[in-house]
Amino acid sequence: LGKGLDPRCSASRTSDSIVAKWLTHVRVLEYLQANVTDSEFVLVLEQEAGLEPDWRELLLPSWRIAPRGWAMLRLVHSGAQRHLDLVNTAWYRPTEPDADRGRAYYPGTTAAMVRVSAIPDLLRHIRKQQVGMIDTKLTWAADCPIFALAKRHQRGVVRRQFQKPPPFVPGSK
C-alpha cells in the first residue's frame, strides 16, 4: 500500500478518500499491466471526463514533440506550471516542491497517456511512498519520467462528460 499515510493529507481531506483514490489508481495500473499486451500506451481518463471528437488533431502537434523515454504524459491537469520546468514549447518536467507561496503546481490529472512498458516503474514509484494525494505523487519521479502538457495545448481536448445530479430535497419532484 505504501509507506503509511502522508501526515500532510489529514488536514486537507479525509484519510478514507485519500486511501480510496490511491488504491483506485494502483488497481487501474495493475489491471492495465495484467491485461494490456497489444498496445504501446493507454489513455486513462477520470470517470467524469470525455474526449472531444477532434482530440487527436488537437494533441498531435504536442505528441510529435513529447520528450523521449516518457513513462506518463499528463495531458490534462490543473494547477500552476513552473517556467523552470519547461522542457520544450509543449511539455513540462515537474519538479518539487508541489506547492510554493500558496500556489499548487501540477495537481489533479483528468487525462494521462501511460506507456504500458513503464507501468512496473510507476507502480514501484507509488508503492515506495507514503499514501497521499495520488495526483501529486504521480507528478514527478526520478526513476520514471512524467511530463505535463502546457495549459495552452490542453484546451478543447477533454470535456466533463457527467454532471453531478442535483441535491435531493425531500418532498420535491
Side-chain angles (χ1 to χ4, degrees), residues 35 48 65 68-69 90 108 112-113 121 125-127 131 148 165 173:
N35 294 289
E48 73 275 4
I65 61 170
R68 294 187 184 272
M113 192 70 71
D121 294 332
H125 170 73
I126 292 169
R127 289 179 178 135
V131 174
K173 293 184 180 181

Side-chain angles (χ1 to χ4, degrees), residues 20-53:
K21 191 170 182 184
W22 180 278
L23 285 173
T24 299
H25 279 70
V26 169
R27 292 222 169 100
V28 165
L29 288 171
E30 288 172 341
Y31 175 85
L32 293 172
Q33 182 179 23
N35 294 289
V36 177
T37 58
D38 59 346
S39 296
E40 184 178 351
F41 43 83
V42 177
L43 179 63
V44 180
L45 301 173
E46 282 189 353
Q47 65 185 16
E48 73 275 4
L51 294 170
E52 292 294 349

Side-chain angles (χ1 to χ4, degrees), residues 19-98:
V19 172
K21 191 170 182 184
W22 180 278
L23 285 173
T24 299
H25 279 70
V26 169
R27 292 222 169 100
V28 165
L29 288 171
E30 288 172 341
Y31 175 85
L32 293 172
Q33 182 179 23
N35 294 289
V36 177
T37 58
D38 59 346
S39 296
E40 184 178 351
F41 43 83
V42 177
L43 179 63
V44 180
L45 301 173
E46 282 189 353
Q47 65 185 16
E48 73 275 4
L51 294 170
E52 292 294 349
D54 59 347
W55 71 274
R56 285 183 185 94
E57 291 79 24
L58 290 168
L59 285 176
L60 190 58
S62 303
W63 180 257
R64 287 185 173 142
I65 61 170
R68 294 187 184 272
W70 57 268
M72 177 185 287
L73 297 175
R74 296 178 67 198
L75 302 176
V76 180
H77 58 88
S78 57
Q81 297 174 323
R82 207 179 354 249
H83 182 71
L84 293 174
D85 296 340
L86 193 62
V87 174
N88 61 35
T89 58
W91 297 98
Y92 289 82
R93 175 78 190 262
T95 58
E96 294 188 74
D98 61 342

Side-chain angles (χ1 to χ4, degrees), residues 117-129 143-144:
S117 63
I119 291 174
D121 294 332
L122 290 167
L123 286 168
R124 197 169 21 264
H125 170 73
I126 292 169
R127 289 179 178 135
K128 70 182 179 185
Q129 299 182 62
D143 49 349
C144 43

